[in-house]
Amino acid sequence: TLDRSSAASDVYKRQARNHEAIAEAMYELVRTTHASPTMDEVARRAGVGTRTVFRQFQDLESLYRTINERLLREILSTVSLTPPSGELKSDLRALAHRRAQVFEHMMPFRHATRGLRHTSAFLREQDARLAQMLRSMLEAIVGPHLGEDAQSTVEVLDVLMSFEAWDRLRETQKLSAKAAERAIGDAAFSLATAPTMGTSPTRTRSPPPTSST
């Protein structure tokens, strides 16, 4: 019985080491290629057999969780979360800078798993949690500066400062990270300080011309 327990423990430890090595290999391959690697590529990088990778791939959700946990740790270690100063322009620029750091770091992983999100409940859950967190941070900054009827402004700001907007500026419009950050910060301030969306400025109508006799 003792021998069986020891053998089972050894198997468990070996599986855990393999899982960690495979997750590390996937992480680095995705980070450097922005693509989902093949099993052979992961196996070579991890130093394990393809069958071992295949067995681990049977539990993709577990691998996603392992990679996501590391990604979150790295993001939190590199991004300083300072409270709003109360000055809208500087706070929006600081928010744009933090999001640039976060989005640049996570972009390879979002690209690599783009086609997997419809099959992974975990990835969809993480996307929703991230969106909610970013929304809360945005509201904390712009809320005190906007009126009660500015909900439309908040909705558009939420889109403007989203990962999807960042990805469009970087990948489709080919802006540098610095240029994309500046564009988003400037646009966010312009939008937040513009007249409330859905209203139009009052125009003074000119009197009709009088006919001369």
Side-chain angles (χ1 to χ4, degrees):
T1 303
L2 186 59
D3 290 341
R4 289 182 179 179
S5 298
S6 178
S9 177
D10 289 343
V11 169
Y12 177 80
K13 289 178 181 178
R14 185 170 62 253
Q15 290 175 341
R17 285 195 302 269
N18 288 341
H19 182 89
E20 184 177 347
I22 290 168
E24 172 71 15
M26 282 190 66
Y27 187 95
E28 290 301 326
L29 286 167
V30 168
R31 185 181 63 81
T32 55
T33 66
H34 290 226
S36 184
T38 66
M39 291 190 214
D40 287 339
E41 289 171 335
V42 174
R44 284 195 298 270
R45 182 79 179 224
V48 299
T50 305
R51 286 187 178 182
T52 301
V53 177
F54 182 79
R55 286 195 297 270
Q56 292 287 349
F57 268 66
Q58 301 304 301
D59 186 13
L60 278 176
E61 296 291 89
S62 178
L63 276 172
Y64 293 151
R65 288 179 188 277
T66 302
I67 292 172
N68 187 76
E69 287 170 3
R70 174 174 173 177
L71 186 62
L72 183 60
R73 286 196 304 270
E74 291 181 350
I75 288 173
L76 291 177
S77 68
T78 57
V79 178
S80 58
L81 300 177
T82 55
S85 68
E87 204 284 305
L88 182 60
K89 188 170 187 177
S90 63
D91 284 342
L92 282 173
R93 287 189 181 279
L95 182 63
H97 179 66
R98 287 196 300 270
R99 293 199 178 187
Q101 290 179 294
V102 171
F103 293 159
E104 277 296 290
H105 196 74
M106 63 185 283
M107 189 159 56
F109 305 93
R110 289 292 292 265
H111 288 172
T113 57
R114 189 175 290 160
L116 305 173
R117 282 174 147 67
H118 69 287
T119 61
S120 173
F122 173 74
L123 291 177
R124 293 194 301 272
E125 175 189 333
Q126 293 304 303
D127 288 349
R129 289 180 62 184
L130 176 65
Q132 183 57 51
M133 181 184 70
L134 295 178
R135 174 64 175 251
S136 297
M137 294 170 64
L138 174 65
E139 290 177 341
I141 289 175
V142 302
H145 301 275
L146 301 179
E148 295 180 356
D149 57 347
Q151 187 62 31
S152 295
T153 301
V154 175
E155 297 297 344
V156 178
L157 279 169
D158 197 26
V159 174
L160 173 64
M161 305 192 82
S162 66
F163 173 80
E164 288 74 18
W166 180 263
D167 195 41
R168 170 67 181 265
L169 290 171
R170 294 282 286 119
E171 293 298 302
T172 303
Q173 297 176 218
K174 304 301 181 184
L175 268 66
S176 67
K178 187 174 182 179
E181 178 187 329
R182 183 170 60 249
I184 288 175
D186 290 346
F189 179 70
S190 297
L191 180 60
T193 55
T196 303
M197 295 180 64
T199 63
S200 56
T202 303
R203 295 181 180 178
T204 303
R205 297 181 64 183
S206 301
T210 56
S211 58
S212 58
T213 56

